[in-house]
Amino acid sequence: MKKLYTDASFDWTSTEKAENVVRGKIAISDGDGFERIDKVAIGKVEGLKQYINILELTAVARAVELASEHFKEEAKGLLEVWTDSQVAMSWANNAKINQKIAKLAHYNALEYLRKAQILFGGIVSFHYIKRDQNPAGHLLEQELKKEAPHTI
């Protein structure tokens, strides 16, 4: 079994109000030396107010994808993905989003997760971890200290 931890945040230095995208950074860590920070972008969607949850779900999907690339043998078909987003964890566990809030960006993130799980080919479970205990959260916090303004 392999455990990966995820976190996400806005990238304030790269997102401008006039742009048609929201930019963010996602962090993936195994808490034991593997650390990865990726930049991501989500096209702005009319009526969508909480992009952070989509960034968090994208981080979860990226962790599954990275597990298939780097840890498939070590995981032995079992992967635990830990996130400090209860919303992203719920969406990942249920493979669906509340229809009242669902937008194309949500469906795209869920499809990315679905494809990553197929690529991994084993059992993937999703779990919640408090932010202060999340190795990916600590990694992202260090990365974001280089930016201003920022709230974690």
Side-chain angles (χ1 to χ4, degrees):
M1 178 186 61
K2 182 68 178 174
K3 288 184 183 182
L4 290 176
Y5 303 88
T6 69
D7 199 10
S9 182
F10 293 104
D11 185 351
W12 297 110
T13 61
S14 298
T15 297
E16 299 179 20
K17 289 183 180 186
E19 276 191 308
N20 242 356
V21 297
V22 172
R23 299 184 189 278
K25 290 185 179 177
I26 58 174
I28 294 102
S29 172
D30 68 355
D32 191 34
F34 177 82
E35 296 179 337
R36 176 81 176 247
I37 295 182
D38 289 342
K39 292 182 179 184
V40 295
I42 300 168
K44 288 186 180 173
V45 177
E46 188 175 330
L48 181 60
K49 293 182 175 79
Q50 294 196 358
Y51 289 90
I52 189 62
N53 294 325
I54 297 171
L55 291 171
E56 294 280 4
L57 184 58
T58 301
V60 167
R62 182 68 175 130
V64 177
E65 182 179 43
L66 287 171
S68 69
E69 294 172 2
H70 298 282
F71 304 110
K72 208 165 192 173
E73 292 295 318
E74 180 182 339
K76 297 186 183 353
L78 298 173
L79 175 64
E80 289 184 359
V81 179
W82 294 78
T83 176
D84 56 20
S85 168
Q86 292 182 22
V87 172
M89 180 198 65
S90 174
W91 291 347
N93 276 320
N94 296 314
K96 64 181 180 180
I97 311 254
N98 181 335
Q99 294 301 311
K100 293 178 185 177
I101 64 163
K103 302 285 185 197
L104 182 59
H106 294 100
Y107 294 120
N108 288 342
L110 275 177
E111 180 65 8
Y112 176 32
L113 176 58
R114 186 187 70 78
K115 288 180 177 179
Q117 286 178 282
I118 291 169
L119 189 62
F120 179 71
I123 297 170
V124 182
S125 59
F126 305 99
H127 308 273
Y128 174 74
I129 187 170
K130 290 182 180 179
R131 180 143 192 11
D132 62 346
Q133 298 171 350
N134 186 350
H138 299 298
L139 173 64
L140 190 58
E141 186 175 345
Q142 292 302 313
E143 176 73 13
L144 294 173
K145 281 185 179 179
K146 302 172 192 172
E147 300 179 12
H150 181 75
T151 55
I152 298 176

